[in-house]
Amino acid sequence: MTEDWLEDLLDRHPGEPVPEGFSRRLRARIEADQHPAPILRPSFGAWLGRGVAAALLLAVGFWLGRDQPELTLDPVDPNLEALTVGGSPVDADLLAELYQEQELLKAWDLVVGQDLELGLRDATTGTWELTEESDG
Amino acid sequence: MELMLAFQAGEEAAFDEIVELHSGQVFGLLRRLLGPHAAVEDLAQESFLRLYRARERYQPRGKLSTFLYRIVYNLALNRLRDGKRRREVGMPSTADGERIDLEDAGGEAPWEEPDRRTWARRIEEALECLPENQRAALVLQHYDGLDLEQIGEVLGISAKATKSLLHRARTKLREILTPYREAEHD
């Protein structure tokens, strides 16, 4: 060991061997960097071609279906007979009113049932007690 | 420098010659800067790739090696900082920026007679204990023979600051490696 032993110790580091094939791999990377794969961008011509093809397809479809019956139906059948009761036609507003009242009656039944159930409970436990009102 | 000028003039073969001539130094520098656990080939490739790309910008003012070392140093610095960030967020990493307990790291006692590879590992681990700029300054001076001006050029500091860095690097390295030296003499 010399006087400056640190330099001698540092000299013991052998360095780093260059891996085999490094130059080849580097060259491949440089090639890839310099000539990157082309990015595919659809050109105007390609889009125009697709548009023409779609239009042709649509035209052929119309031509093939030109003598076929209509697939749609009229929203209201003109031959449908009006609803009658006893020979006279029933007003639509009257029918709607009847249905509305029927719904109201059903709701009333439900409320009455709940009230009766509450009335059967014990007053001391904090529930309602059924009371009877007399007319005098 | 002539090779780089030839490469600038369009001689592709000159670049291959540059790689042939400097790849050993680049690998050595990367290993000593990044420590024993780092994969260095990718960065070595990246260094030469950047040199290739810099063909147009290269100004033949200094040595080509200094220019190349600057590229290598900056890449290594980025890698080291990236490694530190990974460790900060708890990602696994083999490199350790903190002081390493050499006895634990090497798995052997200092009094054991080390072979060449063990010594290389010890030196790499000791270098890892130094701050990045001290490490780079020491490696560039000792292994690559750069003078203060050239090292300063690579690190982007003055020659005076480089001298100070080198002094601190050597003091710390002596401190770390003294037990091994003493063990060897016992």
Side-chain angles (χ1 to χ4, degrees), chain A residues 90-107:
Chain A
V90 181
D91 184 39
D93 289 341
L94 178 66
L95 266 177
E97 199 179 336
L98 283 171
Y99 276 115
Q100 203 174 354
E101 282 173 1
Q102 192 181 11
E103 291 296 316
L104 194 68
L105 284 171
K106 280 181 184 170

Side-chain angles (χ1 to χ4, degrees), chain B residues 12 22 36 39 45 49 52 56 60 68 116 135 144-145 167:
Chain B
E12 282 287 317
H22 293 283
Q45 282 186 17
L49 182 62
Y52 191 96
E56 307 298 330
L68 182 59
R116 195 175 167 79
R135 192 187 317 165
D144 298 299
H167 176 72

Side-chain angles (χ1 to χ4, degrees), chain B residues 158-179:
Chain B
S158 67
K160 195 178 171 187
T162 305
K163 193 174 178 182
S164 167
L165 271 185
L166 282 165
H167 176 72
R168 277 181 280 153
R170 284 203 161 78
T171 305
K172 188 159 188 187
L173 218 50
R174 276 196 190 92
E175 196 182 299
I176 296 166
L177 291 171
T178 292

Side-chain angles (χ1 to χ4, degrees), chain A residues 13-84:
Chain A
H13 193 283
E16 180 76 5
V18 179
E20 206 174 318
F22 172 71
S23 304
R24 185 172 34 81
R25 289 191 292 276
L26 173 65
R27 183 46 75 178
R29 187 162 167 181
I30 287 170
E31 289 298 318
D33 184 70
Q34 297 298 305
H35 308 288
I39 299 167
L40 294 174
R41 287 202 181 112
S43 63
F44 175 73
W47 282 111
L48 187 69
R50 284 175 200 167
V52 169
L56 271 175
L57 203 64
L58 207 60
V60 168
F62 276 116
W63 183 74
L64 286 176
R66 69 191 187 285
D67 294 329
Q68 300 301 315
E70 288 286 334
L71 292 176
T72 55
L73 291 173
D74 290 332
V76 178
D77 188 354
N79 300 322
L80 193 67
E81 288 182 9
L83 183 65
T84 57

Side-chain angles (χ1 to χ4, degrees), chain A residues 7 10 13 25 27 29, chain B residues 41 46 124 142-143 170:
Chain A
E7 307 302 318
L10 289 174
H13 193 283
R25 289 191 292 276
R27 183 46 75 178
R29 187 162 167 181
Chain B
E41 171 155 350
E46 184 67 29
E124 286 162 11
H142 185 87
Y143 295 102
R170 284 203 161 78

Side-chain angles (χ1 to χ4, degrees), chain B residues 3 6-7 18 25 27 29 31 36 58 60 80 105 142 151 161 179-180 183:
Chain B
L3 284 171
F7 176 50
I18 290 170
Q25 292 164 313
F27 270 87
L29 181 58
R31 171 61 64 220
Y58 177 72
L80 288 166
H142 185 87
I151 297 168
Y180 293 107

